[in-house]
Amino acid sequence: MISSQFLILITFILTSPTKAIPCQETSSPAHPYDFFRQYYICHRDERPPDFNAPIYLLYDVNPSEGFNLRRDVYIRLAVFHRALRKQKGYENTQLVLPGWSQLYHWRSHNLPQVHIPWGQFFDLRSMRRYTKVLETHEFFAEYERWVRQKLGLRKVASIRISEFYQLQHSEDMFENGVFVDKFEQVACSKSAGRRNDAMSTGILSHGNVTVDERLCMMFQGAASLLYSMFERFNTNPVNLPRVIFLSNAETILHNFWGNVDYWKARRSMRFSSRLVQIANQFRLDYFNSTNEWDRVQRPASWTDEKPFRKAHGGNYLCAHIRRADFLFGREKTTPTLLSASIQIKRKLLELGLRKVFIASDCSKAEFHDLKNYLKRFKVVRYTPENAQQMAELLDGGVAIVDQIVCSHARYFIGTYESTFTYRIYEEREILGFPKDLTFNTFCKNEEETNCERNAVWPIHYE
């Protein structure tokens, strides 16, 4: 493999007598490896320069995972990355964000939804107040700029991933009934090889990336375990940027889920100003709702947020009703539209509200049925104004507008075990709503009073 050959080459160069190979340094070597060969021959007797080469941490998530689970995976790695930068030798590490590409729940196949940057959906300046992150295209440009400036190359043909970790779960996660944090290199399966050759999402679907060697790792445990893995398998042999790639990063667990560090990373994930603008205009038009009138906490920067529980919300209820795959995968806990409408109506009457916002992946026919079940009330859902706005927002943007509107409602009720619901819970915690107005879950049947409900995890500040 290239990495092994390269190590042999460097070993040969460094151990060869000075006069055995003459120095023939040129300004434009044919291949990047030729440059290093020239450099070490011509400068072996000099003190190696301090290149301070950066480290880039890249990752991807299984293509079947949805938009909101991927946001949670980011938090796991962002918290780890912030801590990693405090370790010696890792101070110059940057976390590279994988582009969003045609996720399972994105139905607008007529739109080009490939390699979408995070800035389309999130405020990167806000995220960077927590830790150093780069968009994929920014990483490409920075990598090439560094190599050209520091090493004198005129052109960089490809970006070299020095450490590629194919993560996978252990077949037996509990040894003697105990879960133990551990990692272990295992033989790569044929399916892992195919995945490496042609990935449908993530950084490796770009043609300008090469992989020296793929390490298949059985990994179980929290993100902090990655540091030990990086230390053990560091194969970067020269003063090139160290590029680490984690495949199937959803395998990695939170170190401390729901603690202060978790909430700092989560609070930094504010939505893009354009999406906030559209959602706020919709709230104003349909519910006469503004941040001031709703008494929510929203300082200019998330770093200025403080413990707060006095948010009032707009004069409407929001219901997140999952349909589609939940009707089959979670039929024992997912209510029918009729049952959901009865539970909505009961709460509207209890709160004295007349308007309800529906966030749902239901069809147009199902939404029509839901409106018929709630005839006495104003039932609203968000749809882009026209095809041009849909092309601007994309499916991910429409989902975020739904979440923003839901996060400002007087009362919220969500779907059991839905990550979409979880993200709204978090937004409402940040905005400062009382817990009883947020952590509510639809029951399978409207008669149930003690059904399974989502967990309550309050926000934590320092």
Side-chain angles (χ1 to χ4, degrees):
M1 288 178 285
I2 294 177
S3 59
S4 300
Q5 295 171 347
F6 189 61
L7 283 170
I8 294 172
L9 172 62
I10 292 298
T11 302
F12 169 72
I13 293 171
L14 294 177
T15 57
S16 298
T18 304
K19 295 182 180 180
I21 305 175
C23 172
Q24 296 179 349
E25 193 166 10
T26 61
S27 60
S28 56
H31 192 279
Y33 288 167
D34 293 336
F35 171 84
F36 295 110
R37 185 175 188 277
Q38 295 168 4
Y39 182 87
Y40 280 110
I41 291 172
C42 298
H43 301 274
R44 76 175 78 206
D45 294 327
E46 300 175 9
R47 184 176 180 178
D50 180 14
F51 280 154
N52 192 27
I55 301 174
Y56 298 103
L57 177 57
L58 289 66
Y59 72 98
D60 80 335
V61 179
N62 191 301
S64 64
E65 301 294 353
F67 185 73
N68 292 289
L69 184 280
R70 291 165 185 265
R71 290 168 59 185
D72 187 72
V73 172
Y74 163 76
I75 293 177
R76 304 173 203 181
L77 290 174
V79 173
F80 164 70
H81 177 250
R82 183 180 169 102
L84 180 67
R85 285 171 54 84
K86 298 177 183 179
Q87 299 294 326
K88 184 177 180 180
Y90 291 87
E91 299 88 347
N92 198 20
T93 304
Q94 300 200 61
L95 181 62
V96 180
L97 304 171
W100 305 90
S101 291
Q102 201 58 59
L103 304 186
Y104 174 77
H105 294 102
W106 290 358
R107 299 179 178 179
S108 302
H109 301 296
N110 60 311
L111 297 176
Q113 302 192 94
V114 179
H115 301 317
I116 302 170
W118 279 62
Q120 171 77 16
F121 304 129
F122 299 95
D123 183 344
L124 288 179
R125 288 179 299 177
S126 178
M127 294 173 65
R128 285 168 178 155
R129 291 190 180 102
Y130 179 74
T131 196
K132 293 281 189 178
V133 297
L134 289 177
E135 295 272 27
T136 300
H137 64 87
E138 292 175 325
F139 158 65
F140 288 157
E142 185 174 300
Y143 180 98
E144 181 169 352
R145 182 168 57 251
W146 191 95
V147 171
R148 286 191 304 166
Q149 291 178 352
K150 297 290 186 179
L151 305 183
L153 300 182
R154 294 181 178 179
K155 184 178 181 181
V156 179
S158 63
I159 292 175
R160 166 183 167 271
I161 293 180
S162 49
E163 296 162 57
F164 183 106
Y165 298 99
Q166 181 81 46
L167 304 182
Q168 62 187 59
H169 290 291
S170 171
E171 294 183 359
D172 182 16
M173 299 181 68
F174 293 88
E175 296 181 4
N176 300 318
V178 179
F179 184 92
V180 179
D181 284 12
K182 62 181 180 179
F183 62 87
E184 178 184 357
Q185 186 175 3
V186 296
C188 295
S189 64
K190 292 183 179 180
S191 60
R194 289 194 298 270
R195 178 171 171 76
N196 178 48
D197 293 337
M199 297 177 68
S200 58
T201 62
I203 193 80
L204 291 188
S205 59
H206 292 273
N208 61 336
V209 180
T210 61
V211 180
D212 281 0
E213 182 179 7
R214 185 179 71 256
L215 299 176
C216 292
M217 308 296 298
M218 182 281 294
F219 188 97
Q220 63 179 46
S224 57
L225 190 62
L226 293 171
Y227 172 73
S228 298
M229 188 173 74
F230 295 165
E231 286 292 280
R232 181 179 300 181
F233 294 98
N234 181 3
T235 59
N236 209 38
V238 294
N239 285 323
L240 268 177
R242 183 180 174 190
V243 183
I244 305 170
F245 190 94
L246 300 170
S247 185
N248 289 90
E250 73 280 358
T251 307
I252 304 162
L253 303 178
H254 287 283
N255 269 94
F256 300 100
W257 185 77
N259 71 344
V260 171
D261 290 324
Y262 172 93
W263 279 105
K264 282 184 178 180
R266 177 62 182 84
R267 285 159 50 205
S268 73
M269 294 181 71
R270 290 194 169 184
F271 299 123
S272 72
S273 58
R274 177 57 175 157
L275 294 177
V276 172
Q277 177 188 20
I278 292 173
N280 287 350
Q281 187 62 51
F282 183 87
R283 288 167 50 213
L284 181 62
D285 292 343
Y286 286 89
F287 305 115
N288 200 28
S289 167
T290 68
N291 286 357
E292 294 74 22
W293 297 339
D294 297 349
R295 301 203 297 270
V296 298
Q297 171 178 235
R298 207 58 171 176
S301 171
W302 64 269
T303 58
D304 295 325
E305 293 166 349
K306 303 180 184 301
F308 182 72
R309 285 290 178 190
K310 297 182 180 180
H312 183 68
N315 292 322
Y316 63 100
L317 178 149
C318 175
H320 172 231
I321 307 175
R322 272 302 306 270
R323 308 297 289 166
D325 55 321
F326 265 51
L327 297 177
F328 308 100
R330 292 177 172 83
E331 60 178 342
K332 292 183 179 180
T333 55
T334 302
T336 64
L337 286 177
L338 177 59
S339 177
S341 68
I342 293 173
Q343 295 176 64
I344 292 171
K345 184 185 300 184
R346 183 185 299 152
K347 187 55 63 173
L348 286 169
L349 294 173
E350 177 185 324
L351 298 173
L353 299 175
R354 306 297 304 170
K355 298 177 182 179
V356 54
F357 177 78
I358 302 297
S360 178
D361 55 353
C362 66
S363 64
K364 291 182 180 180
E366 287 177 315
F367 182 68
H368 178 75
D369 291 340
L370 190 61
K371 291 182 69 173
N372 283 335
Y373 294 143
L374 295 166
K375 283 185 177 180
R376 294 170 52 191
F377 304 93
K378 184 175 182 179
V379 182
V380 179
R381 75 185 304 187
Y382 174 76
T383 55
E385 296 176 358
N386 48 47
Q388 180 179 354
Q389 189 178 69
M390 182 64 211
E392 174 194 353
L393 300 183
L394 305 176
D395 287 322
V398 172
I400 286 174
V401 171
D402 276 354
Q403 291 186 351
I404 295 173
V405 177
C406 283
S407 66
H408 288 79
R410 178 74 51 79
Y411 186 92
F412 174 69
I413 181 169
T415 298
Y416 183 64
E417 293 186 325
S418 166
T419 54
F420 191 100
T421 284
Y422 296 158
R423 300 294 84 84
I424 296 172
Y425 285 167
E426 292 167 348
E427 285 296 316
R428 292 176 63 86
E429 279 293 283
I430 294 168
L431 291 175
F433 281 90
K435 291 191 288 291
D436 62 324
L437 299 181
T438 292
F439 293 101
N440 305 293
T441 312
F442 280 111
C443 291
K444 170 67 176 179
N445 300 304
E446 65 276 10
E447 298 88 0
E448 293 183 89
T449 57
N450 192 30
C451 66
E452 293 184 278
R453 299 182 185 278
N454 293 321
V456 176
W457 62 93
I459 193 169
H460 287 280
Y461 293 90
E462 287 182 322

